[in-house]
DNA sequence: TGACGCGCACCAT
DNA sequence: ATGGTGCGCGTCA
């Protein structure tokens, strides 16, 4: 007999009935439900333009293998009318969170669920029904993981034409932005919500001013912080060279310092390092890839991009 | 603590 | 291509 943890979610139709129906189907498919958590309502994450979710977590027993369990779950989802894909509204979604102490990492199946440690709607209810259960990957108990989750910065993202863009918040300030995946509590706050909507506007080509957001500069060296502050005064659609920015910041012969500061910019887009270009008219580097810098400059400069960067300069 | 060496999304030669 | 440049960081005493 294997002990498993499943997470169920729904955000279409009669949500309580969907959950109950899924539990009924599971329990008649060779999965013995042991404990069912409270149902909790969770705002959508990832794509917020959809209804709230209703979630529960269950502990259960089964003799099935992980792959067989996954197939059974997918079949139940299909039978209940699930058609939509990832990050879309769905009538039912069942995830395998834990399976004994097993660690599985294949394309089709990942156990433990790769992001369950960042999800309140899993850890909170699970810490009520199985606080002492251990995560085989970290060796920590569910209760420990839940306590740690509460200390994690809030994190969200939007899909942009140049890939996902991540933002994190701590104590009402923007902690980081990034084109790379970030760890954090997968939940929106009013601040993240507002920021992501502004970013959506920005990526759709609107002129957006991000200076209303307070950035957390606490772990940033003074010189870099100063350079970032000066750079934030360079408006949308304008560009400046590394050496000019150094001069504006009062650092003589500081082009390299500026380059270093740009390469470590913790707030891409909000601190507009993409507006800093080489003195010889070339584009210069960008941590997330030069193609992204070119996209952002085209976005801001529109047609005049080709005047500022004639053929062969990038 | 402080000095030293290294590396860097640059720049002028 | 090459070497000067400022700064932060890791290392060593």
């Amino acid at each position: 007999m294997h002990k498993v943890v499943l997470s169920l979610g729904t955000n279409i139709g009669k949500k309580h009935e969907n959950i109950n129906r899924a539990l009924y189907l599971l329990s008649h498919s060779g999965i013995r439900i042991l404990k069912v958590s409270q149902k909790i309502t969770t705002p959508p994450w990832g794509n917020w333009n959809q209804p709230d979710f209703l979630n529960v977590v269950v502990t259960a027993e089964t003799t099935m293998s992980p792959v067989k369990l996954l197939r059974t779950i997918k079949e139940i989802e299909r039978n209940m009318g699930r058609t939509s894909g990832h990050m879309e509204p769905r009538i039912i979604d069942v995830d395998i969170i834990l399976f004994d102490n097993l660690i599985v990492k294949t394309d089709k199946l990942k156990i433990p669920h790769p992001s369950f440690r960042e999800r309140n709607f899993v850890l909170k209810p699970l810490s009520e029904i199985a606080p002492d259960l251990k995560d085989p990957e970290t060796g920590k108990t569910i209760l420990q993981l839940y306590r740690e989750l509460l200390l994690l910065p809030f994190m969200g993202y939007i899909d942009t034409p140049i890939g996902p863009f991540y933002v994190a918040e701590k104590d009402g300030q923007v902690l980081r932005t990034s084109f790379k995946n970030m760890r954090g509590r997968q939940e929106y706050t009013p601040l993240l919500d507002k920021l992501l909507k502004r970013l959506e506007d920005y990526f759709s080509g609107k002129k957006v001013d991000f200076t209303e957001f307070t950035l957390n500069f606490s772990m940033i060296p003074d010189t870099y912080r100063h350079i970032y502050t000066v750079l934030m005064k360079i408006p949308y659609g304008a560009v400046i060279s590394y050496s000019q920015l150094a001069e504006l910041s009062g650092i003589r012969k500081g082009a390299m310092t500026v380059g270093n500061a740009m390469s470590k910019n913790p707030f891409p887009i909000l601190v507009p390092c993409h507006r800093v270009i080489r003195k010889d008219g070339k584009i210069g580097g960008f941590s997330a890839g030069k193609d992204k810098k070119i996209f952002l400059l085209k976005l801001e400069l529109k047609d005049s991009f080709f005047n500022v960067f004639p053929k062969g300069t990038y």
Side-chain angles (χ1 to χ4, degrees), chain A residues 227-228 230-231 234 239-265 272-290 293-294 297 309:
Chain A
I227 294 170
Y228 298 148
V230 174
L231 174 55
I234 306 302
V239 292
I240 186 172
S241 76
Y242 292 88
S243 52
Q244 279 177 316
L245 179 55
E247 209 165 312
L248 258 185
S249 310
I251 304 165
R252 285 179 327 172
K253 310 228 182 206
M256 227 155 187
T257 307
V258 167
N260 281 327
M262 297 307 100
S263 74
K264 301 202 167 71
N265 178 12
C273 60
H274 55 282
R275 292 177 198 149
V276 187
I277 61 171
R278 284 170 48 150
K279 201 177 201 175
D280 60 12
K282 295 202 164 113
I283 290 247
F286 198 65
S287 299
K290 197 192 266 206
K293 187 170 182 175
I294 292 169
L297 286 168
F309 301 100

Side-chain angles (χ1 to χ4, degrees), chain A residues 27 33 59 63 111 115 122-123 200-201 219 259 262 273:
Chain A
S27 63
I33 309 280
T59 55
T63 54
I111 301 174
S115 42
V122 175
L123 288 181
E200 205 170 54
D201 288 343
M219 296 301 283
M262 297 307 100
C273 60

Side-chain angles (χ1 to χ4, degrees), chain A residues 294-306:
Chain A
I294 292 169
F295 176 91
L296 297 172
L297 286 168
K298 275 186 182 158
L299 185 71
E300 292 195 9
L301 294 166
K302 311 257 175 342
D303 288 344
S304 61
F305 174 86
F306 298 100

